[in-house]
Amino acid sequence: MNPRGDSTSGSDGAAEPRRKSKKPRYSRFTQQELPACKPLLTPAIVVTTFAFIGIIFIPIGLLSLSASGQVVEIVYQYDTDCIPEQMQNDKVAFIQSSMTNKTCTRTLTVPKNMEGPVHIYYELDNFYQNHRRYVKSRSDKQLRSKASETETTNCAPEATTSDGSVIVPCGLIAWSLFNDTYSFAVNSKIIEVNKKNIAWQSDKEHKFGSDVYPKNFQMGGLIGGAKLNASIPLSEQEDLIVWMRTAALPRFRKLYGRIETDLATNEQITVTIQNNYNTYSFEGKKNLVLSTTSWIGGKNDFLGTAYLTVGSLCLFLSMGFIILYLLKPRTLGDPSYLSWNRNPDGHY
Amino acid sequence: MARGTRRKLHFSKLYSFVCGRSKFEVDHSQIGGPGFSRVAYANAPDCSEAGNLNYGSNYVSTTKYTLATFFPKSLFEQFRRVANLYFLFTAFLSFTSLAPYSAVSIIIPLIVVIGATMLKEAIEDWRRYRQDIKVNNRKVELYHGSSTFGFTEWKNLRVGDIVKVEKDNFFPADLVMLSSSYEDGICYVETMNLDGETNLKLKQSLEVTSGLQADSSFQNFKMIIKCEDPNASLYTFVGTMEYEDQEYPLSPQQLLLRDSKLRNTDYIYGVVVFTGRDTKVMQNAMNPPSKRSKIEMKMDKLIYLLLFSLVVVSSVGSVVFGIISSDDLQVGKVKRWYFRPDDSSIYYDPKRAAVAAILHFLTAIMLYSYFIPISLYVSIEIVKVLQSIFINQDIQMYHEESNKPARARTSNLNEELGQVATILSDKTGTLTCNSMEFIKCSIAGIAYGHGFTEVERAIARRKGSLSIENEQSKENHEQAKPAIKGYNFDDARIINGNWVYEPHSDIIRMFFRLLAICHTAIPEVDEETGKISYEAESPDEAAFVIAARELGFEFYQRTQTSISIHELDPVSCKHVEKSYKLLNVLEFNSSRKRMSVVVQDDEGKLLLFSKGADSVMFEKLGKGGRGFENKTKEHMHEYADAGLRTLVLAYRRLDEEEYKSFNKRFMAAKNSITTDRDEKIEEVADSIERNLILLGATAVEDKLQNGGMKQIIITLDGPEIIHLEKDGNKEAIAKVSRDSVLYQINEGKKLLSSSNTESFALVIDGRSLAYALEDDAKNLFLQLAVGCASVICCRSSPKQKALVTRLVKAGSGKVTLAIGDGANDVGMLQEADIGVGISGAEGMQAVMASDIAISQFRFLERLLLVHGHWCYRRISLMICYFFYKNLTFGLTLFLYEAYSSFSGQPAYDDWYMSLYNVAFTSLPAIALGVFDQDVSARFCLKFPMLYQEGVQNLLFSWLQILSWMFSGVCNGLTIFFFCTTALQHRAFRKGGEVIDLEVLGATMYTCVIWVVNCQMALSISYFTLIQHMVIWGGIALWYLFLLAYGAITPTLSTSAFMVFVEGLAPTPAYWIITLFVVIATLLPCFIYLAVQMRFFPMHHNMIQWMRFDGHADDPEYCQVVRQRSVRPTTVGVSARVDATVSQLARKVHDMVHLPP
C-alpha cells in the first residue's frame, strides 16, 4: 500500500497536466513588448511638421492658382434674357406654350484668347438631380441591353405609356432630358460644335447598349424634355448619356459640346439659343458657359487660395510655436503637475 | 456474533469524527417528505419501483446551448442590446422601398457583426462540449449482477447502480459509500476539484456495510436509500439506508462526491444516489456572476443619446422634406415638374405630404444608422478577449512555485481594473502566504521563544536599528541546523527537554499535550525514513502539531478512536508511548472560534482540551483557571503587536457523570436532522466548554507573501486599502455598546475635519462593525471611513465583509475591488465591482467566485497598474474613437442629404457605406484596443500616479467623450464643405468633364477614410508594425476595393463602375483635394494636441516627456516624482511602525544596559 498515492501513472492521466508547467511562453508579442516607435509631439517635431506643411502647400497653392488663372470662362445667364418683354410676368406660360418663338440670339465677347478645345456647358441651378425620387427613376438594365427592355421597376410614372407599352429609356431622368440647343457663329461664320466624346467612355461602352433604341419616348401626355432620334442607339446618344449621369448638387454644369478652334480676344460670338427647357416653374437659372481647361479643370480659385491660406497659416504657426517654446519652456518636475493629491476633499 | 457487533458499534459511537452514527431516531421522519423525497433502489435497476422514479442519467452537459437552441437563444442574447435591435429594425425596413440603399448592403454588416459574436459563443460552447464528451466517456466499474463488475461509461450510470472505484480515480457520481479496502470502511478523498483543498479527507462507510469487501458480496445485495433532494450544499447530506430490514441514518460522512478523487485507498464500493445534474458539484456549478463595467454602462447611455439625436435629426429632416415636397404641387401649379409631383408614389406625394414625411422619417432612420457604430459591441468583445489573453499570458504574473499564471475568468471587467478607487483586502492568505510558523508561546504566564518576526525585522531595517540587525545576524549564525517548515521556535529553556526544569513543568506538559492532541490532523509516516508529516486542515494546525513534535510530543497515529503520541516523560526523561481515547471532537467554526476535544487518558481520566481565539476563550475560563490571565493577556498583546496570530489554550478535567450527560445530549444534537442542528450542537458544546483552566497562549507567524508587501501598500496608496481581517490582531475599538460606537465615529469625524494634512487609519472590530453597519450609523461610518487613508476591520464575519463592500460600493460610487483567497471571502468578491481571487492554499472557492484569479497578492500591483491602466485607456479611447469616426461619417451623409432637399439620397454607394464600419476603419480601432500603450509597463509601475487617470476617469469623462464627438462633427463639416466647394460645379479635369454624384461621393469618402485613419495615427502613442499595417492598410484597402469594385461588371457596381480608374486616378484635382482636405481637417486637432501635450500635459504625457528627456532613468528624479504621489502619512502604517520601533528600541536599550 502506498499511502501517498505516488504511483498515479496508472490513473487516467489527470495528474499529468498538473506537473506540466503552465508558465506562459515568452514572446515579445504576448508580453506586449513589440518594438515600437513612440512618437511624441516634441517642439522639434511640431515646428518641423508645420513648416513642412507650409513649404509643401504654398507651391501647390501657387500652381493651382496659376492653372486656374489660365482658364478663360464666359458665363452667360439667359433664362430671363431670352424671354420677350411682354412675357416676363408669366415665364412659365411662355415656356410651356408651343406657339411662342423660343429662338434667342445674343452676342458674347471673348475676354481673352481661348485656345481650343473650348468646352461648352449648360449650367442649371436649383435643379435637384440628386433627389432620391429622381436618382432612382431609371433602369440601368434597360439602358444596357435590349433583352431587358421590360425592366422598368423604378421608372414610374414614366415606365410605360398609357396603353402599357414600355418606354425606352424609361424613368424621370431620361424624360426630363435637357432640350435647349446652342449654335455659334463668329463673324457670320458658323462654328462647328463637336458633340462627340462628351460622355464618359465607360458609360458609352458599358452602360448604354448599342442595340438599345429609343422607343415610345416622349409619347405620353406630358412632354418632359428633349426627344430622341429613334434610329440612333442609346450608346451614341451622348446628350442623353451626359444627362443621365446625375449631378451631385443642385447647381451643376453638363458638357454640351466642344469648339475645337481657338477663339481670339475680343472676338464677337453670336449665339443662337433655342430656349426650350422649363426652369421657370422652379425658379432655376440657366447659364451658357464657354470655358477652356487646364490640368486643374475649369476655373477654380478655391483650391489655390485654400492651399495658400493653410500653407501660410502653417508657416505662421511654426513661427508661433518657436516663439512659444522659447518664451515658455516647460518646467519639468513641477510639483503641481506631478501631484495628483490636489483634489482637496471636503473632509480634509 | 451479536456481541461482537455491539462492541463494534460502541467503538464507532465514540469516534466523534463521524456524526450521526448512533441509533436511528425520530428526526429522520422528514425522509420521504417534501425536500427529502429521493429514493434509490440499490442493485435493483430494473425493478418496477426504480423504473418509475426516472431520475436523470449521469450525462453531464455544461454547454450553454444545444444544437437546437443555439440559434434562437444566442440570437435573442444578441438582440437584447438596444443598438442591435435598432439594426435589426433597419434590416427589416431595408427590404421595403423605403430603404435609401440596397437591403444586402445593410444586412451583410449586421450578419458579419452578429455572426462574429455568435461564432465566439459557438466556439466557447464547442470547447465545453468536447470537455463534456471526455468526462462523460470516462470508464467506471459497474456491478452487472452475478458477482461481476464490468467497465462502463460514466454517462450510463443510473441511480441505484453499484460501482467500484479504484485508487486515484474520480467518483463518477455522488455515491453512498458501502465499503472500502480497509477493514473499518474508511477511505481518503481528495476534494481538489470541489473546493481546491489538497488535504485528504476521511470518509467512512456505515458499520453494517463495511464488510462487503469483495465483488462477490453483492450477490444478493438489496438496499433502499432514501435521502434529501438534490441541493448545492457540499457539506450536508441527510438520508437513511434500509438494509436487511433495518434502517440506518446516513450522513455526509458516507457521501462520496462526484469529481473528488479516491486516494490512499485501493478501492471502494458505493451506490449511486445522485447522477448528472443532480450531483452536488453540478448543483454548485454556477456561472461566474455577470458584472458589467462602468464604462460599458456609460457607453449604453451614449448609445441612447445617439439614438435620441438620430431621431431628432431624422424628424427635422422629415419635416423639411414634407414642407418642400408639399410646395412642389400648389393648386394648379407644378414647381419641380421633373419629379412628376402630379403622378407620384406615396413616398413622395405633395398631396399627402404628411404621410410622405412620416415614411421619409423611416428612411432617414436607416440612412443615419451610421451615427451608431454597428461594430462597436463586437469590437469591444473581441478586444476584451484579446486583452484577457494578454493578462493570462503575462509571464510576470506567473508564480513559479504554485505553477499558476494569472487567469482572467471574465473579460468584462478589464478596463474596470484601471479605475479601482478602493481595495478591500482579506489579510490571511492574501497579504500573507498562509504558511505558519510556530514562533513563540506563553505558558503559565511566562513568555518563551525569542525569534524575530518579519514585521519586527522590517521595522528594524526601515529604521536602521543596527542592534536588532546584529542580533539577527548572530542568531542566523547560530542557527546552523536546517529549518523545519512551520517551526521557528528557539528557547533554551524549553527545547531539548529542558522544560522539565522550568517552574511550571506540569503546566508546560499539559500545554504540549494539548498541542499534540487537540487538532484534526492526520499523520503520515514516511516508510523509508520513518519521519512523520501531517495532513492538516489549516496551516495553523499543522504548525502546532509540528511544534509539539519538535518539543517532544510526537503525534504519530490516529485511529478512529484514539490518538497516539510519543511523550517525553519528565521523570524518566524518556519517550514513552501514550495513547488517548478520543471521545468527542467539538469542531472549529467561524462563529465558535474554538475547537475542543474530549479524551480519556490511559489512566481513565477524562480531559477536555480547548484552544481558541482570545475573545471567546477568556470568557470560558473558570474561577480557578485564571491564574495567569493578566500575564498571558500582556504577552498576547505583545505578540499581536509583532504581527503574530495568537490562540489561547485551556483545559479542564471532566468527571464521569458530567461527561455521560454531555455525550448523550451531544449525540442527540448530532443525529438530529432539523434545520437548527448546528445551533443545537453549538449549544451542547458550549455547555461543556466552561470552567476551563488557562494554560497559555501560542503565537504563530503568518508569513508575508514575497515581493515586499510594504512596497505594494505604498504603491497602492492611491486606492484606499480596506483590510478585512479574519483573525485580526490589531488593537480594536473594544467598546461594543452602540452609543459608544456612534460616539467614536463622531469623534473620529471631528478629528478628521480638524486636521487636513494628516491621513488617518481606522481600526474597527467585528462587534463594533455590527453596530456601525446598522442603517442609522452606516452613512456616518462610511463618511469616516472614506476620510481615512486606510480602514482595518478586524474579526469580521464573511457577511460583514460583504456588507462593508456593499456600503463602500454604494456610498462612494467608485469602483471597488475585493481581493481574497478563502471561502469566507466569496461574498465580498461577488459584491465588489471586481473580485480578485488568490489561488493560494485555502482552496478554490474564492477563485471560483472571482472575476480574475492571481496566485500572489503582489501581482495585483501589475494587474492594476499595468494591465488595468492599459485596458482602461485602450477601451475608453477605442469607444471614443468609434463614436468619433461614425459621427464624422454620419455627418457627411446628413449634410449631403440636406443638399438633396432631404430626400434621403445617400452621398455614397451602398457598398462604400456598409464596408465603412466593417472593413476600412474597424481594424485600427481594434488594434488600438488591443495594443496601444501610452507608457510602457516599466513606467506604469514606476509612476503609479498614472493610475489616477483611471480613478478620476479622466479618459472617459463626459468632457472627453463630448470633445471627441465635437471633433467628429467638425471633421464631418470640414470634409463636406471643403470637398463640395473644391470640386464645385465646374470642370474638374483637363478633359472638361464635370463632377457627378459618383465622383463627389468617392472623393468625399476617400477624405473621410484618410481623416479618420490619420486621426487614429495622431491619437495613439505606440506604433508597432501592426499599427502601421492596420492604419495604412485600411486606407490601402479602400483604394483596392475601389479598383476591384469598379472593375466588375456595371450590373453589380452600377454607378461606381470604373469611377476610380477612369474618373479619379488620372485627375490631379482629386489627389490635391484629398491632400488638402485631410491636412486642413486634421490641423485643428494637431494644434490642440501640440499645445496640450506641451503646456497642459496629462499624467501619461508627463511620463512620456520624462522618458523623452531621459529623466526616467535618473533614480533621484524618480524618487522625487514618486514621493509626490504618496500621501504624507503620520497616522496609519508608518505611525504604527514608529510606535513599535520606539517600543522595541526601549527593549533593546534595556537589554543592552541591564546586566545579564
Side-chain angles (χ1 to χ4, degrees), chain A residues 85-105:
Chain A
E85 285 291 325
Q86 66 275 19
M87 295 297 281
Q88 282 291 352
N89 292 328
D90 196 358
K91 297 172 197 154
V92 179
F94 167 82
I95 204 80
Q96 283 177 340
S97 159
S98 51
M99 312 303 290
T100 45
N101 177 18
K102 298 196 176 80
T103 311
C104 159
T105 308

Side-chain angles (χ1 to χ4, degrees), chain B residues 310-328:
Chain B
L310 186 147
V311 170
V312 169
V313 167
S314 304
S315 338
V316 169
S318 302
V319 170
V320 176
F321 173 76
I323 293 170
I324 296 176
S325 298
S326 66
D327 197 38
D328 279 341

Side-chain angles (χ1 to χ4, degrees), chain A residues 175 222, chain B residues 329 334 337 339-344 348-351:
Chain A
W175 175 73
L222 261 170
Chain B
L329 187 69
V334 180
W337 56 269
F339 295 153
R340 288 296 300 274
D342 53 309
D343 182 8
S344 169
Y348 162 76
D349 192 344
K351 281 168 281 186

Side-chain angles (χ1 to χ4, degrees), chain B residues 298 872 880 952-962:
Chain B
K298 199 165 183 180
Y872 165 71
C880 287
Q952 293 169 15
N953 202 6
L954 295 178
L955 301 181
F956 205 64
S957 58
W958 281 109
L959 182 73
Q960 193 76 16
I961 297 166
L962 291 178

Side-chain angles (χ1 to χ4, degrees), chain B residues 707-768:
Chain B
M709 297 303 301
K710 212 157 45 98
Q711 192 196 337
I712 292 168
I713 292 175
I714 291 169
T715 318
L716 291 178
D717 234 355
E720 289 161 30
I721 297 200
I722 299 186
H723 290 291
L724 297 166
E725 299 214 339
K726 194 163 64 182
D727 298 311
N729 45 31
K730 300 274 159 41
E731 197 177 338
I733 299 169
K735 299 180 187 75
V736 286
S737 91
R738 227 181 110 165
D739 292 339
S740 76
V741 170
L742 271 178
Y743 173 74
Q744 293 207 7
I745 289 176
N746 280 322
E747 281 298 294
K749 276 194 72 184
K750 260 183 236 158
L751 194 66
L752 267 180
S753 49
S754 64
S755 83
N756 49 7
T757 51
E758 298 167 350
S759 48
F760 289 87
L762 171 71
V763 182
I764 186 163
D765 78 344
R767 280 193 287 182
S768 315

